[in-house]
Amino acid sequence: MVAKLWLRIVTVMLGVLLIGVAQANIPTVPNELYEALKLDREKTSPKELYEAVVKRYKDPAQGAGPGTLAKYWEPIPYGIYLDPATFYKAPTSNKDVASRKECVECHTDESPVWVQAWKRSNHANLDKIRSFKPSDPTFYKKAKLEDVEKNLRSHGKLAEGEQLKEVGCIDCHVEVGAKKKADHAKT
Ligand code: HEC
Ligand code: HEC
């Protein structure tokens, strides 16, 4: 009898936990992250969560940046690669201010391999993902794309009902969903 009672209590507790998870905005984000950021899981929108994560990521008190001994050393190239937010500086040799389309056009001449790699990737062919059939081994990407679009909508970067056309050079190297032209010296 006693064993059965325990079983019942544990089942109820698990049920409560599961309900908690189901109500959360992004189920894959662990509770520890909300706790570390002092956010209420039930009340935080994806946008607020994103902004809090970015703020913490860039906070020197949390270890961001080169550190207090930075004046005594310089990063090796691999260190720059690993922490571009702190160390990377875009080349200033190119003064262009370019649109989404112009990035691709000029780089087709300047760095054709990078453009080819992009053109053959899913990033340049999102409609292909949308047309996947359930029998396709990469069908799961369709749901992922829809998740990304939902997330972008909650950030105000995609209108209601609007679909993501591509993930272009400018989206990664400048700003996601950039509509205006971008200064090359800051890419
Ligand atoms: C008119 C030509 C032109 C346009 C337009 C252009 N680029 Fe470039 N881009 C270059 C050249 C040339 C280089 C190499 C510069 C260097 O290494 O000094 C370069 C380099 C880069 C690099 C590598 C930087 C590095 O650290 O080596 C990235 C990333 C890049 N461009 C992204 C972009 C994006 C994003 C856009 C659109 C906003 C864009 N480019 C538009 C010509 C262009
Ligand atoms: C999905 C995001 C994403 C897209 C889309 C993207 N890039 Fe990049 N790119 C990166 C990242 C991250 C790196 C640095 C990592 C690496 O070197 O692999 C990079 C590196 C580069 C570099 C090398 C910089 C260096 O220091 O050597 C160039 C040049 C470049 N990208 C150009 C482009 C161009 C041109 C396009 C569009 C045709 C493009 N990228 C699209 C994310 C992206």
Side-chain angles (χ1 to χ4, degrees):
M1 258 326 268
V2 175
K4 268 193 182 165
L5 184 65
W6 271 109
L7 203 65
R8 219 181 276 172
I9 291 173
V10 169
T11 315
V12 169
M13 275 167 65
L14 274 179
V16 171
L17 273 176
L18 276 177
I19 291 169
V21 171
Q23 281 172 345
N25 280 321
I26 311 169
T28 44
V29 177
N31 277 328
E32 285 80 358
L33 183 65
Y34 286 91
E35 280 159 24
L37 297 169
K38 300 193 176 57
L39 293 173
D40 183 340
R41 170 152 216 152
E42 303 307 320
K43 290 186 189 139
T44 310
S45 71
K47 186 171 194 281
E48 284 162 344
L49 176 66
Y50 172 76
E51 281 163 3
V53 170
V54 171
K55 193 166 163 240
R56 184 169 187 259
Y57 183 71
K58 293 188 173 172
D59 181 4
Q62 302 278 353
T68 50
L69 302 175
K71 63 178 174 208
Y72 301 112
W73 61 280
E74 279 182 3
I76 56 170
Y78 192 56
I80 299 176
Y81 179 82
L82 289 180
D83 187 2
T86 304
F87 300 116
Y88 174 74
K89 288 199 178 53
T92 50
S93 51
N94 188 331
K95 310 273 184 232
D96 273 85
V97 176
S99 69
R100 171 178 293 273
K101 231 174 109 219
E102 287 161 350
C103 308
V104 182
E105 282 165 5
C106 183
H107 273 274
T108 304
D109 297 332
E110 291 296 339
S111 59
V113 178
W114 289 90
V115 177
Q116 269 312 312
W118 173 73
K119 278 207 169 138
R120 288 180 195 178
S121 78
N122 280 329
H123 284 140
N125 301 292
L126 295 180
D127 279 339
K128 201 173 124 202
I129 296 183
R130 288 191 186 94
S131 66
F132 281 163
K133 305 251 167 341
S135 56
D136 195 300
T138 52
F139 180 68
Y140 69 93
K141 289 188 179 173
K142 201 172 158 183
K144 280 203 159 194
L145 176 59
E146 279 157 18
D147 251 12
V148 169
E149 289 175 325
K150 208 170 113 199
N151 201 10
L152 286 175
R153 274 183 206 114
S154 79
H155 284 250
K157 291 195 180 282
L158 207 63
E160 210 48 57
E162 188 186 351
Q163 284 188 328
L164 198 60
K165 290 198 190 76
E166 61 166 20
V167 179
C169 323
I170 205 166
D171 293 309
C172 293
H173 286 282
V174 181
E175 191 200 341
V176 176
K179 299 245 170 4
K180 287 189 227 136
K181 290 192 169 200
D183 183 347
H184 201 282
K186 294 190 181 128
T187 51

